[in-house]
Amino acid sequence: MTPRLHCSCTLRSVLKNVALDEGLPALACPDCGAVLLKMDDWRRWRSRSPAAVALGVSVAADAVSADPGRARACPACTRLMERLPLDAAGALRLDRCSTCQTVWLDPGEWQALVERGLASQLDAQMSDGGQRRLQAERLHASRIQALRQRHGDACMDEVLRIRRWLAEQPRRDEVLALLQAPEAAAPSQRN
Ligand SMILES: [Zn+2]
Ligand SMILES: [Zn+2]
């Protein structure tokens, strides 16, 4: 890797060689803990470590520190990097320079990626298709959130439960019509 790359943190520290995993070299800032990863190094590691795919477990979205929201400058070419979400909640975001094929990891972010099973999925998650899928998931989650605010959690849990149950019914449309049909109502409710 190009020698003497500097971190974008206030101290502009010189990045030092580290290993994120066996066979996965990277450059880390000794002062802020951020890590610069070359996608070529990641791809070599990924092709040698197929077992890493299954290593993830699901972790709550709040387990990772909040997104600071600012994009970094690429230490190699100084262009502003793209800030790409890696999960639907947007709690994990990597800065990528598509020119240099590098990503910046905030302190603790690699471990968070490993714990969520995303460390081996960087290419897939950062691809156009992966980003579109994440955006659709985010949109869906925000719609459900708005409905929960309007109707309350108890009501929405029941609605979602009934929807799942309805989807399994062979005569779904008839069952749906029954919910509003007057002849299906209990006698006491007719008065
Ligand atoms: Zn730094
Ligand atoms: Zn660059």
Side-chain angles (χ1 to χ4, degrees), residues 74-79 81 97-102:
C74 173
C77 72
T78 70
R79 284 190 186 87
M81 298 171 105
C97 178
S98 47
T99 310
C100 303
Q101 285 288 298
T102 51

Side-chain angles (χ1 to χ4, degrees), residues 66-143:
D67 173 26
R70 40 158 186 74
R72 291 169 185 268
C74 173
C77 72
T78 70
R79 284 190 186 87
L80 214 55
M81 298 171 105
E82 305 167 86
R83 200 151 175 76
L84 302 174
L86 269 263
D87 61 354
L92 284 169
R93 286 172 187 268
L94 298 193
D95 293 309
R96 176 181 69 177
C97 178
S98 47
T99 310
C100 303
Q101 285 288 298
T102 51
V103 295
W104 265 118
L105 299 151
D106 290 329
E109 210 156 39
W110 177 256
Q111 193 51 39
L113 290 170
V114 169
E115 285 168 2
R116 293 189 190 191
L118 293 172
S120 56
Q121 313 284 332
L122 295 190
D123 263 349
Q125 297 294 90
M126 292 195 298
S127 69
D128 290 348
Q131 289 292 303
R132 272 197 300 275
R133 183 175 48 75
L134 288 176
Q135 191 176 7
E137 283 176 26
R138 262 201 309 285
L139 200 62
H140 176 72
S142 74
R143 281 189 185 134

Side-chain angles (χ1 to χ4, degrees), residues 133-182:
R133 183 175 48 75
L134 288 176
Q135 191 176 7
E137 283 176 26
R138 262 201 309 285
L139 200 62
H140 176 72
S142 74
R143 281 189 185 134
I144 294 287
Q145 189 54 35
L147 287 168
R148 284 187 178 280
Q149 274 173 7
R150 180 169 171 78
H151 301 287
D153 281 340
C155 172
M156 280 308 293
D157 287 345
E158 190 66 355
V159 166
L160 294 173
R161 186 187 66 78
I162 293 169
R163 281 181 67 102
R164 282 193 297 272
W165 174 81
L166 261 178
E168 293 163 3
Q169 302 309 306
R171 296 193 181 89
R172 188 176 177 277
D173 290 346
E174 287 177 41
V175 174
L176 201 53
L178 269 177
L179 285 174
Q180 289 210 300

